[in-house]
């Protein structure tokens, strides 16, 4: 093959490589004319490559303010003695922004005397807009938001739409936070709250959950698509709740050992519900928040509040209990409606994992459920007797105390077989 043919082949190969590059490449000769402009450069800069070749760089770029930072780097390469320059710049066009990582260097050749001669400048740049967004989000939220939320925001993009999903939601809060705020100064309260939130957050992640947000002394978490496996979401949330109770118990031992006054009363309450929710960026454009909203969220928050009413640490809704399966022990607590809904809901106390609940507590739960059956059937005398017997053995059973009071109220009011067995929490029912 002749040297001319070899040279032609090498030129074609170089041109093919240049055009297939993902990075933009622009070369300018010493007279300021564009002598190289590949397809990637055209796509990034919004210019047609065939229209750029042979044109003065100044007339194509210097008159357009969008390219001021781009031009500055090119001029540095032309007029300064350094071999290379590199930086990150932004091209803006209205509301559109493109971030570039850009470098420039001399375009040279070796003459017959073996000396290196400059023939121009070559500029290589790549679009790093998505990388920059990712870095910014992680910098802004990485310490406070579950990394999976950051990834979901990146996948959806700034204009991402919300979507419906079947998820399990939990709320956990510190019992008697008002009392703690009255007993401790600001610094001590903040330190205790931070330790509490750290303790209840770790089990969420260990059970595959996504920590959605912190609300005062409470933490909200979610399981299910797009973050976790749908099939195990209810069981995972239950495992996390049991882990939270154990973590707070360990923290309680620590603060008691440290001499914190009333430290033995540090405790938590958890509410869990499963159902249809909306996930996405919620709020005005200037302050959007990626979160989960819907009836399951409302129910979980309400059950967290009811935990202290029934004297239980963990209360779950019936859908969660059904999906969690046989891996846990539950106790039926009551049948209620929550504010904003007319659908009756059976609620359960989560007692513990299979094999981890004492026979005494299981016996107590069984006796409670028998008394509850009388109550639901409107047999208030039988219910009264059963709850009184239960309380004689377990006087601290707050749920039994509450239902005994309601049984007496309904018996005195003459309610009977027409009783629906439902506590309407919004106040529409005299049993409140």
């Amino acid at each position: 093959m002749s040297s001319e043919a070899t040279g032609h082949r090498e030129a074609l190969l170089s041109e093919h490589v240049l055009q297939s590059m993902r990075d933009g490449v622009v070369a300018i000769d010493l007279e300021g004319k564009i002598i190289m402009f590949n397809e990637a450069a055209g796509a990034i800069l919004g210019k047609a490559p065939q229209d750029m070749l042979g044109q003065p760089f100044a007339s194509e770029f210097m008159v357009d303010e969008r390219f001021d930072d781009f031009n500055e780097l090119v001029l540095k390469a032309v007029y300064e003695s350094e071999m290379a320059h590199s930086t990150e710049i932004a091209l803006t066009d209205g509301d559109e922004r493109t971030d570039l990582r850009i470098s420039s260097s001399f375009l040279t050749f070796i003459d017959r005397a073996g000396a290196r001669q400059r023939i121009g400048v070559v500029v290589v740049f790549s679009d790093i807009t998505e990388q920059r967004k990712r870095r910014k989000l992680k910098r802004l939220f990485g310490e406070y938001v579950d990394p999976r939320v950051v990834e979901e925001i990146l996948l959806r993009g700034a204009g991402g739409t919300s979507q419906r999903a079947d998820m399990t939601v939990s709320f956990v809060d510190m019992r008697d936070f008002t009392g703690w705020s009255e007993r401790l100064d600001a610094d001590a309260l903040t330190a205790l709250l931070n330790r509490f939130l750290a303790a209840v957050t770790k089990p969420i992640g260990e059970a595959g959950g996504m920590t959605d947000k912190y609300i005062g002394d409470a933490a909200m978490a979610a399981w299910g698509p797009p973050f976790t496996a749908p099939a195990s979401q209810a069981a995972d949330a239950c495992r996390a709740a049991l882990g939270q109770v154990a973590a707070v118990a360990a923290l309680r031992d620590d603060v008691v050992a440290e001499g914190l006054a009333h430290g033995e009363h540090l405790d938590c309450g958890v509410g869990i519900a499963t159902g249809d929710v909306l996930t996405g960026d919620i709020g005005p454009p200037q302050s959007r928040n990626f979160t989960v909203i819907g009836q399951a969220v409302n129910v979980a928050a309400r059950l967290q509040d009811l935990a202290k009413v029934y004297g239980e640490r963990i209360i779950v809704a019936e859908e969660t209990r059904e999906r969690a399966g046989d891996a846990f022990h539950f106790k039926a607590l009551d049948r209620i409606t929550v504010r904003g809904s007319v659908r009756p809901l059976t609620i359960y106390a989560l007692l513990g994992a299979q094999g981890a609940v004492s026979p005494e507590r299981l016996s107590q739960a069984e006796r409670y459920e028998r008394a509850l059956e009388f109550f639901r059937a409107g047999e208030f005398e039988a219910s009264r007797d059963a709850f009184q017997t239960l309380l004689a053995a377990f006087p601290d059973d707050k749920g039994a105390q509450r239902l005994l009071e309601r049984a007496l109220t309904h018996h005195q009011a003459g309610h009977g077989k027409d009783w629906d067995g439902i506590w309407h929490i919004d106040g529409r029912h005299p049993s409140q």
Side-chain angles (χ1 to χ4, degrees), residues 237-270:
C238 289
R239 285 195 297 111
L242 293 171
Q244 289 171 327
V245 170
V248 172
L251 177 60
R252 181 167 57 245
D253 291 342
D254 288 344
V255 298
V256 168
E258 293 164 9
L260 179 67
H262 306 287
E264 67 277 10
H265 298 303
L266 181 66
D267 214 336
C268 68
V270 186

Side-chain angles (χ1 to χ4, degrees), residues 7-19:
H8 179 67
R9 179 183 177 186
E10 291 178 351
L12 288 176
L13 180 60
S14 297
E15 179 67 17
H16 177 74
V17 171
L18 177 68
Q19 296 303 334

Side-chain angles (χ1 to χ4, degrees), residues 132-420:
R132 180 184 172 277
K133 288 180 181 178
R134 186 179 297 271
R135 291 200 308 267
K136 181 179 179 181
L137 279 169
K138 289 186 175 180
R139 184 173 64 251
L140 289 174
F141 304 119
E143 295 182 14
Y144 305 102
V145 177
D146 191 293
R148 285 166 293 179
V149 174
V150 177
E151 292 300 321
E152 183 66 16
I153 295 172
L154 289 167
L155 288 173
R156 291 170 184 254
T161 57
S162 300
Q163 65 183 31
R164 304 197 76 89
D166 188 70
M167 301 187 75
T168 297
V169 180
S170 83
F171 280 83
V172 57
D173 76 339
M174 182 189 292
R175 291 273 176 88
D176 189 31
F177 181 74
T178 301
W180 284 109
S181 64
E182 293 172 348
R183 291 189 291 268
L184 301 177
D185 62 35
D187 289 342
L189 179 63
T190 299
L192 179 63
L193 181 57
N194 285 339
R195 292 174 71 180
F196 174 85
L197 292 176
V200 299
T201 298
K202 185 177 180 181
I204 295 171
E206 291 175 341
M210 182 272 295
T211 301
D212 182 287
K213 63 170 68 69
Y214 300 108
I215 310 168
D217 65 322
M220 173 183 167
W223 286 260
F227 303 110
T228 61
S232 64
Q233 58 176 279
D236 291 338
C238 289
R239 285 195 297 111
L242 293 171
Q244 289 171 327
V245 170
V248 172
L251 177 60
R252 181 167 57 245
D253 291 342
D254 288 344
V255 298
V256 168
E258 293 164 9
L260 179 67
H262 306 287
E264 67 277 10
H265 298 303
L266 181 66
D267 214 336
C268 68
V270 186
I272 310 174
T274 302
D276 184 53
V277 299
L278 189 69
T279 65
D281 302 327
I282 309 299
Q286 65 272 20
S287 58
R288 289 188 182 277
N289 177 38
F290 188 90
T291 190
V292 178
I293 61 174
Q295 184 63 9
V297 179
N298 299 335
V299 171
R302 189 58 175 146
L303 295 186
Q304 170 203 270
D305 291 336
L306 288 176
K308 53 181 171 285
V309 173
Y310 290 92
E312 301 290 346
R313 289 192 172 93
I314 308 168
I315 297 183
V316 309
E318 57 187 276
E319 184 72 13
T320 305
R321 188 259 177 273
E322 290 173 6
R323 295 197 191 190
D326 299 328
F328 307 93
H329 289 290
F330 294 94
K331 176 178 76 174
L333 280 178
D334 207 346
R335 191 157 176 79
I336 67 172
T337 62
V338 297
R339 185 174 289 110
S341 175
V342 297
R343 186 175 71 87
L345 178 72
T346 302
I347 60 175
Y348 297 82
L350 172 58
L351 305 180
Q354 284 286 350
V357 182
S358 69
E360 182 182 44
R361 194 167 187 212
L362 292 176
S363 174
Q364 179 183 358
E366 184 180 354
R367 294 168 67 178
Y368 180 99
E369 290 183 336
R370 283 202 301 269
L372 180 63
E373 287 176 4
F374 290 131
F375 179 77
R376 287 180 178 173
E379 299 177 17
F380 298 119
E381 287 189 59
S383 173
R384 177 200 62 196
D385 294 343
F387 279 124
Q388 286 177 338
T389 301
L390 174 61
L391 285 167
F394 302 97
D396 294 330
D397 192 324
K398 292 182 67 173
Q401 292 170 4
R402 185 165 191 88
L403 265 70
L404 174 59
E405 293 169 2
R406 289 164 58 196
L408 292 172
T409 299
H410 287 294
H411 179 59
Q412 293 168 2
H415 297 154
K417 297 297 183 182
D418 59 339
W419 162 239
D420 62 9

